[in-house]
Amino acid sequence: MEWLTEHCRSGEQEEVMTYLSRKPGTSSAYIEWRFDFTEAGLRVKKCSLKFPFETFEDGHVRVYLKADNSDDALSVYSSLTATDVPKMRGWDKFSLIAELDCERDACAFQHAQLFRQQLKSGFFDKQEEKYQFLMSLELYSMY
């Protein structure tokens, strides 16, 4: 995976876009975030998730949540607003996984993108509404 910045022309304006994508020359890539609350004795009570992604032409993105003690996966759909994930209730150890590839033999690396946004002043502000990826967890004690 690689963080990229590209210059796009939209009519008369030039925009600078930034996003996470596969490295050039690769056919697939994935990124995984792991969460483990077992040592703390905590479990998920509520979860909401905002995880935007975009595809172009034959690019493909698959995002899912997977509990460590299960082979089942919960699909995550691209969203610019936080969405509740009630099926995560009771999970104590899980992963959020994003896989980027092509629907055909080969496509450009930039045809599957995570967190695409315009790069402008204030990009690194600490205001929550500017974050592209947001997971909000409410936990409860198992004891």
Side-chain angles (χ1 to χ4, degrees):
M1 299 292 281
E2 188 169 322
W3 193 259
L4 297 169
T5 302
E6 69 178 22
H7 295 264
C8 304
R9 189 162 270 316
S10 175
E12 293 297 315
Q13 279 187 306
E14 183 176 14
E15 294 180 337
V16 179
M17 303 302 288
T18 186
Y19 53 86
L20 192 61
S21 109
R22 301 185 337 250
K23 285 185 178 181
T26 62
S27 61
S28 66
Y30 78 95
I31 186 167
E32 179 176 2
W33 293 267
R34 294 180 182 190
F35 300 84
D36 186 351
F37 301 109
T38 54
E39 283 189 33
L42 299 172
R43 291 184 186 232
V44 174
K45 181 177 182 180
K46 278 175 109 175
C47 174
S48 64
L49 180 63
K50 177 174 78 166
F51 197 97
F53 55 86
E54 289 191 49
T55 58
F56 301 91
E57 296 185 24
D58 286 341
H60 182 254
V61 175
R62 178 176 180 239
V63 181
Y64 56 96
L65 290 154
K66 186 177 176 315
D68 272 19
N69 58 358
S70 173
D71 288 333
D72 294 335
L74 297 177
S75 293
V76 172
Y77 301 99
S78 182
S79 175
L80 294 174
T81 59
T83 304
D84 289 335
V85 188
K87 290 185 178 182
M88 286 183 63
R89 184 174 175 82
W91 289 12
D92 58 356
K93 191 174 182 182
F94 59 92
S95 295
L96 172 62
I97 302 163
E99 300 172 344
L100 290 76
D101 58 19
C102 296
E103 290 186 346
R104 58 185 164 99
D105 290 342
C107 67
F109 68 92
Q110 69 269 34
H111 286 177
Q113 304 175 358
L114 303 179
F115 319 132
R116 179 184 173 92
Q117 61 188 306
Q118 190 174 7
L119 184 61
K120 53 188 172 186
S121 64
F123 178 74
F124 293 105
D125 284 352
K126 295 182 179 179
Q127 297 172 5
E128 207 171 272
E129 64 272 5
K130 292 187 179 184
Y131 297 159
Q132 288 292 307
F133 165 38
L134 181 66
M135 178 181 268
S136 178
L137 295 170
E138 185 178 332
L139 305 172
Y140 68 91
S141 176
M142 295 187 305
Y143 307 110

